């Protein structure tokens, strides 16, 4: 039951933080404004941007491709700043939950181990008592037989 | 003729792999010993035929048979012998054939070595390996036939071009000869542990035997995967002109992910052997390692993600994704069905115990894997959720993985000092005292020496801690051995390593990993770079303790390319110490010139010079110069890992005596 809740929580978080939004048509000027001067006039960059616009790519995708090919330095706002914390959300949430679950699991495991050890100890002690009792009983029985 | 032999051998090989799969299934079902034996022979015959196919392709490459598309696309008349051989695995089809050949070889070795020592569930192992072998051979026959002929697009007839297109210039590096084969051996090697795991699940033989049977295979695969990754990093460092060894490229990550999970498996398998715990987890790890190996080749060949290493979009993607899904679903189903056989036989005794530290080590390794997987697949996920394909860039991987890597280093330091079961406070104090004191002193020393960046200082202290912890382990063992045997310290030291090769080999591997951390810390925190544009001959560049003078720009004609290189003299303390020649190579048929960096290496740093551009008329040139501290320790660490793994791989004396 609790696992189900955690699963639903992860899915909800993924949806909330993924920032689903419609992809808008993009113009050359939009992209030009995002590329530093004078890089925005470099023929190879202009050519790449034009071809990507023709392919119907979104603004972020085009800037991503420009950064991949010509380096982060040509962008006015780096990809890291543009994306912010978004890529880290799932790893941070996922790993935190995983750590808590692992920790709780180990803690329970250790407690179970301690209980098992305690039970084993009790059994050993109980069996020791029984052995002592049997020994005494046999001794007394032997004495009784002799007396008889 | 040779192409016909090659193609039909491939088909026959696939048929025999399929026969093996069917025969062994029937053999198990009807308890027929002869069918199981026959299936083993089937797999050996399949190996012979795929070897003939591989030989046919190699023969065609060496004979420059340009009527074959693969030979035309990857060789030329001027290509040297070694690169012509390496063209075998340079392209999509050839590399798949190479993969299938290594797999068939390993399967044949497994069958021949296990023939005498029969394992109860071995027929199930044969069924798994033959199925996987059949899959790869089927893909080759169906969509990646390496013997496809060159067709004239206008007439639609076959023809033989006079010369080939040539090997991609970026691949014309010694790295091409060693890196792909070692990586492939690592990837393919994990098929055997996976097959044993699945066979153990099917046959319900879920004691520790399967783990013991695959120990050497998993270590062997892990070693080759490590070597492959390291050789790839070294290649990227010297060839691509990035100035670094690792760019978190999707395909680089694809090789790192199975390595991380495979490393976690090596550690947790020890807990199962020693304490009969973590049975389910070990199953998950080895299954995931194999699936990630196949996933790596899927990423390289499917065109899902773009990378300098990828082959681009090809027809094999759907086959691989179906295969991965089948393996994943089948393994998961088996794990669920067999869960009651996978219960722990012992309980965890304490938080501060070796087994618990191994568990945390697994958690960290798995976290690094998850972070890397998420970052690598982020373009796919972002497209799925937002409709926009975005990549995360290197900063994401560094920010997320550096703290996790430091935690891993801490665990590497702590683990050897903690006992199995429970560690008493007295033992804890006794074991930790010296390493803590020395690490504390090192903190002051590092600070005085100028290592003051937190991102470098903290891992540096733990590097010292790990080394001290390992030294303490070796020291104590040697002293006890010396006291018990009366032999001198030197003999006692080596006898100690020989007495428990697995344990001490493992420690030596840890020293190698720590040496690699030293390199990573150096280049990650203290690398400096300088861009100089359009400088004249005779100009000087100053960077750190070095002074470089740009002496000359020269052009040389080679049989296969034209090179333009700059000559720079490096001075340190006004004394000329090196001549460096960074180069640009121009290959016919290839538009993009290649960059050959010039590197001067010492134990303290690398002086790394890239010729970014030049003006042939004026002789002016543009350079990027970097000082990358301590990089050589990464490569030296690789050698130490090799030594450690070899020791751990050797059989124990007790077994030999038996």
């Amino acid at each position: 039951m609790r696992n189900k809740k955690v699963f639903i929580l992860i899915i909800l978080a993924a949806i909330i933080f993924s920032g689903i939004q419609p992809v808008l048509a993009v113009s050359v000027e939009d992209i030009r404004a995002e590329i530093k001067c004078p890089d925005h006039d470099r023929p190879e960059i202009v050519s790449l941007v034009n071809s990507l616009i023709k392919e119907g790519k979104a603004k972020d995708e085009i800037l991503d491709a420009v950064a991949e090919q010509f380096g982060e330095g040509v962008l006015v706002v780096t990809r890291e700043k543009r994306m912010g914390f978004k890529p880290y959300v799932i790893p941070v949430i996922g790993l935190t939950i995983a750590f808590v679950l692992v920790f709780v699991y180990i803690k329970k495991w250790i407690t179970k181990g301690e209980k098992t050890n305690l039970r084993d100890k009790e059994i050993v002690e109980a069996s020791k008592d029984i052995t002592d009792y049997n020994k005494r009983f046999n001794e007394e029985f032997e004495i009784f037989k002799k007396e008889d | 003729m040779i192409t016909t032999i090659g193609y039909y051998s491939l088909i026959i090989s696939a048929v025999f792999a399929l026969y093996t799969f069917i025969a062994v299934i029937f053999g198990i079902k009807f308890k027929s010993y002869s069918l199981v034996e026959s299936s083993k022979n089937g797999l050996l015959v399949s190996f012979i035929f795929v070897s003939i196919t591989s030989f046919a392709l190699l023969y065609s490459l060496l004979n420059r048979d340009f009527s074959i598309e693969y030979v035309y696309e990857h060789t030329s008349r001027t290509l040297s012998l070694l690169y012509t051989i390496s063209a075998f695995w340079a392209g999509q089809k050839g590399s798949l054939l190479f993969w299938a050949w290594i797999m068939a070889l390993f399967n044949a070795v497994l069958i021949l070595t296990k023939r005498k020592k029969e394992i109860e569930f071995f027929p199930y192992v044969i069924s798994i390996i033959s199925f996987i072998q059949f899959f790869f051979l089927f893909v080759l026959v169906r969509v990646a036939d390496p013997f496809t002929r060159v067709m004239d697009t206008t007439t639609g007839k076959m023809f033989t071009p006079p010369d080939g297109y040539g090997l991609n210039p970026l691949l014309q590096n010694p790295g091409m000869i060693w890196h792909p084969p070692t990586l492939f051996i690592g990837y393919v090697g994990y098929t055997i542990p996976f097959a044993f795991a699945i066979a153990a699940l099917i046959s319900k033989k879920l004691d520790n035997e399967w783990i013991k049977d695959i120990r050497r295979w998993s270590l062997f695969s892990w070693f080759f995967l490590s070597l492959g990754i390291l050789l790839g990093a070294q290649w990227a460092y010297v060839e691509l002109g990035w100035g670094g060894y690792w760019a978190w490229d999707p395909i680089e990550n694809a090789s790192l992910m199975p390595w991380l999970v495979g490393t976690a498996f090596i550690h947790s398998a020890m807990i199962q052997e020693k304490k009969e715990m973590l049975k389910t987890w070990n199953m998950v790890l080895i299954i995931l390692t194999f699936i990630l190996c196949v996933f790596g080749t899927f990423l390289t060949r499917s065109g899902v993600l773009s990378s300098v290493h990828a082959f681009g979009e090809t027809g094999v993607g759907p086959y691989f994704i179906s295969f991965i899904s089948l393996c994943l679903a089948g393994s998961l189903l088996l794990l669920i069905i067999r869960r009651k056989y996978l219960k722990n036989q012992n309980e965890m005794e304490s938080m501060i115990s070796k087994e618990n530290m191994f568990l945390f080590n697994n958690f960290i390794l798995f976290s690094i894997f998850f972070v890397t997987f998420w970052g690598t697949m982020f373009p796919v996920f972002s497209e799925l959720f937002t409709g926009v394909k975005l990549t995360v860039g290197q900063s994401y991987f560094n920010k997320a993985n550096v703290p996790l890597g430091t935690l891993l280093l801490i665990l590497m330091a702590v683990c050897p000092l903690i006992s199995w079961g429970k560690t008493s406070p007295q033992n804890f104090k006794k074991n930790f005292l010296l390493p803590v004191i020395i690490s504390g002193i090192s903190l002051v020393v590092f600070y005085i020496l100028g290592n003051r960046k937190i991102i470098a200082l903290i891992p540096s202290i733990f590097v010292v801690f790990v080394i001290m912890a390992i030294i303490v382990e070796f020291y104590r063992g040697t002293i006890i051995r010396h006291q018990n045997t009366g032999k001198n310290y030197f003999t006692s030291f080596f006898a100690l390593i020989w007495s428990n090769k697995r344990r001490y080999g493992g420690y030596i591997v840890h020293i190698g990993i720590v040496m690699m951390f030293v390199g990573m810390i150096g280049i990650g925190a203290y690398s400096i770079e300088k861009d100089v544009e359009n400088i004249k001959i005779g100009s000087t560049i100053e960077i750190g303790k070095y002074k470089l003078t740009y002496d000359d720009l020269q052009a040389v004609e080679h049989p296969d390319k034209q090179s333009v290189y700059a000559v720079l003299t490096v001075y340190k303390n006004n004394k000329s110490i090196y001549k460096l020649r960074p180069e640009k190579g121009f290959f016919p048929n290839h538009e993009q010139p290649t960059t050959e960096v010039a590197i001067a290496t010492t134990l303290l740093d690398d002086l790394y010079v890239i010729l970014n551009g030049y003006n042939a008329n004026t002789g002016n040139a543009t350079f990027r110069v970097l000082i990358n501290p301590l990089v050589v320790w990464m490569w030296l660490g690789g050698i130490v890992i090799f030594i450690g793994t070899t020791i751990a791989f050797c059989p124990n004396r007790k077994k030999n005596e038996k």
Side-chain angles (χ1 to χ4, degrees):
Chain A
M1 191 63 191
R2 206 166 60 184
N3 285 350
K4 260 187 193 171
K5 278 182 186 170
V6 171
F7 180 69
I8 292 167
L9 209 72
I10 293 170
I11 297 292
L12 278 176
I15 293 168
I16 292 164
F17 289 103
S18 61
I20 294 172
Q21 52 192 315
V23 181
L24 301 171
V26 64
S27 69
V28 179
E29 281 312 307
D30 290 338
I31 303 295
R32 204 169 178 272
E34 296 285 346
I35 298 172
K36 277 182 192 167
C37 175
D39 286 319
H40 57 205
D41 289 328
R42 273 167 68 181
E44 60 272 34
I45 294 182
V46 173
S47 145
L48 176 69
V49 169
N50 284 335
S51 68
L52 292 173
I53 289 174
K54 268 186 201 161
E55 282 175 29
K57 298 278 183 195
K59 184 178 172 180
D60 282 343
E61 278 177 303
I62 297 170
L63 293 174
D64 205 28
V66 170
E68 278 293 303
Q69 207 160 325
F70 300 98
E72 247 2 278
V74 298
L75 299 181
V76 174
V77 180
T78 60
R79 280 185 295 180
E80 197 190 346
K81 277 188 185 161
R82 194 151 29 94
M83 282 202 267
F85 198 63
K86 224 187 268 181
Y88 299 91
V89 172
I90 294 292
V92 168
I93 293 175
L95 293 182
T96 310
I97 292 172
F99 181 78
V100 171
L101 290 178
V102 168
F103 193 80
V104 169
Y105 179 74
I106 295 173
K107 203 81 181 134
K108 269 188 176 177
W109 202 3
I110 292 169
T111 316
K112 199 179 156 194
E114 280 167 357
K115 274 183 188 166
T116 314
N117 283 345
L118 202 70
R119 207 175 54 220
D120 290 347
K121 212 175 160 187
E122 278 168 4
I123 291 168
V124 169
E125 275 170 12
S127 64
K128 204 178 151 193
D129 285 348
I130 291 167
T131 319
D132 288 347
Y133 174 79
N134 285 341
K135 202 179 157 191
R136 234 171 60 207
F137 176 82
N138 287 335
E139 280 169 9
E140 282 176 17
F141 186 63
E142 286 299 317
I143 295 164
F144 172 75
K145 274 203 294 189
K146 276 178 193 168
E147 283 173 357
D148 197 43
Chain B
M1 178 64 179
I2 193 83
T3 56
T4 315
I5 293 172
Y7 180 66
Y8 283 104
S9 296
L10 190 63
I11 294 176
I12 296 168
S13 179
V15 169
F16 270 99
L18 183 63
Y19 163 75
T20 304
F21 178 65
I22 295 168
V24 80
I25 296 285
F26 277 95
I28 295 166
K29 176 118 179 94
F30 299 111
K31 296 190 168 42
S32 164
Y33 179 76
S34 55
L35 261 180
V36 172
E37 280 305 303
S38 168
S39 72
K40 288 182 187 174
N41 294 334
L43 215 50
L44 293 177
V45 174
S46 176
F47 165 64
I48 292 168
F49 277 97
V50 78
S51 300
I52 294 172
T53 307
S54 305
F55 175 76
L57 183 63
L58 196 61
Y59 181 85
S60 307
L61 286 164
L62 292 171
N63 279 288
R64 311 285 199 272
D65 183 354
F66 299 123
S67 67
I68 300 170
E69 200 180 76
Y70 188 82
V71 179
Y72 166 73
E73 282 173 357
H74 297 97
T75 62
S76 63
R77 295 203 181 277
T78 52
L79 195 67
S80 69
L81 177 70
L82 277 178
Y83 291 133
T84 307
I85 294 170
S86 69
F88 190 124
W89 47 82
Q92 153 93 293
K93 294 170 179 177
S95 64
L96 257 183
L97 176 62
F98 188 59
W99 183 299
W101 180 75
I102 298 172
M103 184 183 290
L105 173 71
F106 285 179
N107 292 347
V109 169
L110 180 73
I111 283 173
L112 293 172
T113 51
K114 296 282 179 196
R115 215 169 246 270
K116 285 176 193 164
K117 190 192 160 195
E118 196 63 81
I119 305 164
E120 247 177 297
F121 57 79
F122 198 53
Y124 294 98
V125 175
I126 298 173
S127 70
I128 308 295
I129 56 176
S130 59
F131 176 72
I132 298 168
Q133 188 167 318
F134 170 70
F135 165 75
F136 276 88
L137 292 168
F138 174 75
V139 170
L140 275 161
V141 173
R142 188 89 179 82
V143 281
D145 168 23
F147 298 101
T148 309
R149 308 295 285 265
V150 176
M151 302 283 269
D152 189 330
T153 46
T154 49
T155 61
K157 284 181 182 171
M158 287 185 281
F159 83 112
T160 307
D163 199 355
Y165 189 71
L167 188 68
N168 182 341
L170 282 176
L171 303 181
Q172 294 186 39
N173 179 281
M176 186 61 198
I177 299 159
W178 304 112
H179 163 64
T182 45
L183 206 57
F184 282 8
I185 291 172
Y187 280 150
V188 177
Y190 273 113
T191 309
I192 310 282
F194 170 76
F196 270 79
I198 297 295
L201 279 172
I202 298 172
S203 63
K204 300 179 198 167
K205 305 277 180 234
L206 289 159
D207 50 14
N208 289 345
E209 276 311 302
W210 76 271
I211 284 260
K212 285 177 188 161
D213 279 326
I214 60 149
R215 194 183 87 77
R216 284 214 171 75
W217 276 105
S218 55
L219 200 60
F220 170 84
S221 313
W222 179 87
F223 167 68
F224 274 95
L225 199 54
S226 312
L227 191 66
I229 293 171
L230 200 64
L231 286 171
Q234 211 270 341
W235 182 6
Y237 184 66
V238 300
E239 178 67 35
L240 294 175
W242 290 337
Y245 57 92
W246 196 263
W248 297 106
D249 174 272
I251 307 303
E252 288 178 340
N253 296 348
S255 65
L256 182 69
M257 288 189 281
W259 184 87
L260 290 164
V261 183
T263 309
F265 174 75
I266 286 177
H267 289 89
S268 68
M270 275 191 264
I271 307 180
Q272 183 169 339
E273 274 189 64
K274 201 130 189 151
K275 294 274 197 171
E276 292 202 58
M277 296 190 316
L278 304 179
K279 287 183 174 180
T280 313
W281 180 238
N282 280 327
M283 280 287 171
V284 170
L285 288 179
I286 201 64
I287 290 166
L288 194 60
T289 306
F290 170 72
I291 287 173
L292 286 169
C293 288
V294 183
F295 182 70
T297 194
F298 161 74
L299 279 187
T300 322
R301 295 156 205 281
S302 64
V304 166
L305 299 168
S306 56
S307 154
V308 287
H309 298 82
F311 291 116
E313 202 166 340
T314 59
V316 302
Y319 291 90
F320 273 98
I321 203 74
S322 309
F323 180 71
I324 291 168
S325 309
L326 181 70
C327 290
L328 207 58
S331 310
L332 204 65
L333 191 71
L334 271 171
L335 275 174
I336 293 167
I337 293 170
R338 296 283 187 258
R339 65 185 185 283
K340 67 173 179 182
Y341 297 95
L342 292 165
K343 282 187 179 152
N344 294 317
Q345 304 295 314
N346 283 305
E347 309 298 345
M348 189 74 82
E349 287 176 49
S350 159
M351 266 293 173
I352 305 169
S353 61
K354 196 165 258 185
E355 50 270 43
N356 200 26
M357 289 301 125
F358 272 13
L359 204 61
F360 277 114
N361 143 298
N362 267 233
F363 181 77
I364 303 293
L365 282 165
F366 207 80
S367 302
I368 300 175
F369 152 68
F370 178 68
V371 161
T372 308
F373 176 79
W374 179 256
T376 308
M377 297 306 288
F378 195 76
V380 177
F381 296 139
S382 70
E383 194 176 26
L384 204 67
F385 285 114
T386 67
V388 179
K389 205 172 186 172
L390 294 173
T391 49
V392 289
Q394 286 190 42
S395 64
Y396 159 82
F397 292 102
N398 290 331
K399 275 187 183 163
N401 283 335
V402 167
L404 289 169
T406 309
L407 281 175
L408 195 66
L409 203 57
I410 295 171
L411 284 173
M412 216 193 287
V414 169
C415 246
L417 303 174
I418 287 181
S419 337
W420 291 97
K422 230 173 193 175
T423 304
S424 65
Q426 291 85 354
N427 257 350
F428 191 84
K429 200 176 154 189
K430 190 178 122 197
N431 293 344
F432 276 77
L433 194 64
L434 187 67
V436 166
I437 291 171
I438 301 285
S439 306
I441 295 168
S442 75
L443 168 73
V444 180
V445 174
F446 283 141
Y447 194 83
I448 292 167
L449 289 175
N451 180 2
R452 291 175 190 182
K453 287 185 184 172
I454 291 292
I455 196 167
L457 188 59
I458 292 172
S460 302
I461 297 162
F462 286 108
V463 161
V464 175
F465 198 106
V466 178
I467 293 170
M468 280 315 298
I470 295 170
I471 289 174
V472 165
E473 276 292 296
F474 276 105
Y475 174 75
R476 282 204 189 126
T478 308
I479 293 291
I480 291 168
R481 219 174 167 82
H482 163 73
Q483 285 167 353
N484 289 345
T485 62
K487 287 180 181 161
N488 64 42
Y489 290 110
F490 189 75
T491 316
S492 301
F493 175 73
F494 285 103
L496 175 79
I497 296 173
W498 215 241
S499 66
N500 195 343
K501 298 177 198 80
R502 189 176 176 183
R503 181 178 174 184
Y504 292 100
Y507 286 150
I508 293 170
V509 170
H510 279 192
I511 292 175
I513 302 274
V514 163
M515 285 166 76
M516 291 179 70
F517 264 99
V518 170
M520 288 178 210
I521 293 166
I523 193 169
Y526 294 106
S527 179
I528 48 172
E529 63 178 66
K530 190 171 189 177
D531 285 305
V532 279
E533 289 193 20
N534 216 19
I535 59 166
K536 288 178 190 165
I537 291 174
S539 307
T540 304
I541 308 162
E542 279 190 48
I543 181 165
K545 58 192 174 192
Y546 297 107
K547 195 189 265 184
L548 295 88
T549 56
Y550 172 34
D551 298 332
D552 201 4
L553 187 74
Q554 293 177 355
V556 183
E557 284 284 342
H558 299 282
D560 57 338
K561 67 170 181 180
Q562 191 196 35
S563 301
V564 174
Y565 64 88
V567 182
L568 296 111
T569 309
V570 182
Y571 295 90
K572 190 178 165 190
N573 301 328
N574 292 327
K575 219 170 133 186
S576 159
I577 48 170
Y578 309 113
K579 285 263 183 211
L580 292 178
R581 291 178 177 81
E583 185 184 312
K584 284 266 177 216
F586 298 88
F587 289 78
N589 299 330
H590 295 275
E591 265 181 44
Q592 285 282 79
T594 56
T595 304
E596 301 292 335
V597 299
I599 306 170
T601 301
T602 66
L603 285 176
L604 286 179
D605 57 29
D606 275 13
L607 180 65
Y608 187 103
V609 185
I610 309 162
L611 174 64
N612 267 345
Y614 61 87
N615 185 325
N617 299 323
T618 60
N620 289 3
T622 299
F623 296 99
R624 168 171 282 192
V625 187
L626 295 100
I627 294 179
N628 291 331
L630 306 169
V631 175
V632 75
W633 290 93
M634 285 193 48
W635 322 131
L636 293 175
I639 297 168
V640 176
I641 290 174
F642 170 74
I643 296 167
T645 317
T646 310
I647 292 170
F649 197 79
C650 289
N652 277 331
R653 200 167 35 184
K654 276 181 190 169
K655 269 191 182 171
N656 281 348
E657 281 165 7
K658 274 180 191 174

